[in-house]
Amino acid sequence: MEQQFLEELQHIAGTDKVHQMEPMSRHTTFRVGGPADVLVQPDYKTLPDIIRHCRKYGENYFIVGNGSNLLVGDGGIRGVVIEMVTDQQSLIVSGDRVTAGAGMLLSKVANFAADHELTGMEFASGIPGSIGGAVVMNAGAYGGEMKDIIESATVLDAAGCEKILSLEELELGYRKSCIIKNNYVVTSVTLKLSQGNPEAIRDRMKELNEQRRAKQPLEYPSAGSTFKRPEGYFAGKLIMDAGLRGYRLGGAQVSEKHCGFVINREQATAEDIHQLIEHVSAEVHRQFGVKLEPEVKMVGER
Ligand SMILES: Cc1cc2nc3c(=O)[nH]c(=O)nc-3n(C[C@H](O)[C@H](O)[C@H](O)COP(=O)(O)OP(=O)(O)OC[C@H]3O[C@@H](n4cnc5c(N)ncnc54)[C@H](O)[C@@H]3O)c2cc1C
């Protein structure tokens, strides 16, 4: 990476926002992952210039929200990681619409909606991602998905130009959207909610979060469900039936509490997790002929 590129990046973003050789284990919920050459935490104003700057120098960039669906390899990430930062100023309510900056955590947006007596977002209140990441993944739980509540999203294209995408244009499907294939960066999201009873909203959020705590291994680092739901099956059940409950490889383990989660049981490396995912997929395929596809995004160098 050229020194001039770095100096100009520091000038655009601010020196304190640019970190060299930053361990990605600090920025992912799996708590694994080697260093990013550079990690920058820009505010929304400087983001378009940072994208243009990377483009001008031909540097790759990768966007990270809350890092809750990522498995970054032990070799780290070459190029620039742009981490979307939480910005308290970026929550706005207007009637039954809420607009949030992309780095804002879903739990914060859900609480804000509840404060304004708006219902519809309860299902997402316990998903530990940013709202930008939730659009990219069309995150969902307990019968709800982001697709049900999104009205539009503002994105920057690869040239750093702003666009507003409607719900249809976002092409939301099961844990996917058009964002990654178009190299867009989501900068804000507008949700269309509806008026509700504040007590009922809070009760529902509490109930769902209790269910999560009871069923999911939240006491260990993970990236949530490791695999997508294969059509006609449940990944967790297949993995349990394959006899892999609690199976360990290095520091990585198939959770005993919920077999659909691979957890970082004890100082796992990303390689431990990779190999465990491969082993689980191969075993389930061998025993049941079902192909498990990772929901977790694997990025960087192994
Ligand atoms: C304990 C636990 C429970 C979970 N439960 C659920 C669940 O119930 N339902 C569910 O759907 N998921 C769940 N997840 C997975 C995860 O929280 C979601 O996928 C979430 O939407 C990811 O958001 P994030 O901000 O962490 O994205 P990241 O993990 O940081 O990134 C995910 C992808 O989105 C891209 N991205 C992120 N932000 C932007 C942006 N602003 N612009 C462009 N691209 C961006 C990244 O490049 C990456 O490709 C769980 C995870 C954990 C750890």
Side-chain angles (χ1 to χ4, degrees):
M1 190 172 283
E2 272 182 56
Q3 188 59 25
Q4 196 178 343
F5 169 81
L6 261 177
E7 282 168 15
E8 287 178 25
L9 182 65
Q10 284 167 336
H11 181 72
I12 299 167
T15 315
D16 57 327
K17 308 270 171 61
V18 178
H19 311 274
Q20 289 182 63
M21 293 303 282
E22 176 67 13
M24 288 306 295
S25 53
R26 291 189 192 150
H27 302 270
T28 60
T29 56
F30 246 140
R31 299 275 170 255
V32 297
D37 287 342
V38 172
L39 181 138
V40 54
Q41 297 164 310
D43 56 43
Y44 292 121
K45 288 195 294 292
T46 57
L47 192 54
D49 285 339
I50 289 172
I51 288 171
R52 286 188 204 109
H53 182 60
C54 291
R55 220 169 110 102
K56 182 174 140 196
Y57 280 85
E59 285 290 348
N60 288 330
Y61 57 88
F62 178 74
I63 310 294
V64 170
N66 200 40
S68 65
N69 201 45
L70 295 180
L71 174 56
V72 178
D74 295 315
I77 299 181
R78 303 290 72 80
V80 180
V81 169
I82 300 176
E83 186 175 62
M84 304 299 290
V85 288
T86 303
D87 178 357
Q88 285 294 355
Q89 301 302 309
S90 65
L91 268 172
I92 299 164
V93 63
S94 166
D96 53 11
R97 287 176 174 77
V98 168
T99 298
M104 188 69 62
L105 291 177
L106 286 166
S107 54
K108 286 202 178 142
V109 186
N111 275 304
F112 179 81
D115 288 345
H116 291 86
E117 305 186 6
L118 292 171
T119 182
M121 227 203 132
E122 295 87 329
F123 76 88
S125 62
I127 301 176
S130 66
I131 193 159
V135 172
V136 175
M137 297 302 301
N138 184 27
Y142 304 110
E145 54 180 350
M146 292 305 290
K147 195 178 175 185
D148 305 335
I149 53 171
I150 291 173
E151 183 171 76
S152 61
T154 305
V155 301
L156 295 172
D157 66 14
C161 299
E162 197 170 278
K163 282 183 179 195
I164 297 178
L165 300 184
S166 66
L167 174 62
E168 294 70 38
E169 286 168 325
L170 284 166
E171 297 171 27
L172 301 177
Y174 178 57
R175 303 293 173 265
K176 63 175 188 194
S177 65
C178 75
I179 302 296
I180 292 177
K181 74 173 180 202
N182 289 308
N183 217 359
Y184 289 148
V185 181
V186 181
T187 57
S188 79
V189 183
T190 297
L191 306 176
K192 170 96 172 59
L193 303 169
S194 38
Q195 287 298 314
N197 174 304
E199 235 172 81
I201 297 169
R202 294 271 177 211
D203 284 351
R204 180 74 179 142
M205 279 167 44
K206 200 166 156 244
E207 180 196 329
L208 295 182
N209 287 330
E210 275 165 11
Q211 277 189 43
R212 255 179 211 278
R213 272 192 296 276
K215 300 217 168 109
Q216 299 181 359
L218 302 185
E219 55 281 23
Y220 292 105
S222 79
S225 299
T226 312
F227 300 98
K228 292 185 182 173
R229 187 172 5 89
E231 209 154 316
Y233 300 91
F234 289 102
K237 169 106 175 46
L238 287 170
I239 296 165
M240 189 166 74
D241 293 347
L244 293 168
R245 181 165 180 262
Y247 185 87
R248 252 179 110 147
L249 208 155
Q253 186 181 34
V254 172
S255 165
E256 293 173 315
K257 195 166 173 186
H258 187 318
C259 294
F261 280 54
V262 167
I263 57 171
N264 178 350
R265 175 68 198 242
E266 206 186 354
Q267 293 172 3
T269 60
E271 192 53 30
D272 293 341
I273 299 173
H274 266 118
Q275 288 187 15
L276 182 54
I277 290 174
E278 285 162 6
H279 178 76
V280 167
S281 307
E283 231 0 71
V284 166
H285 190 254
R286 188 181 68 78
Q287 294 192 34
F288 307 113
V290 180
K291 212 164 173 274
L292 289 180
E293 203 189 313
E295 176 169 328
V296 172
K297 297 223 171 282
M298 297 167 179
V299 297
E301 294 179 358
R302 275 177 84 165

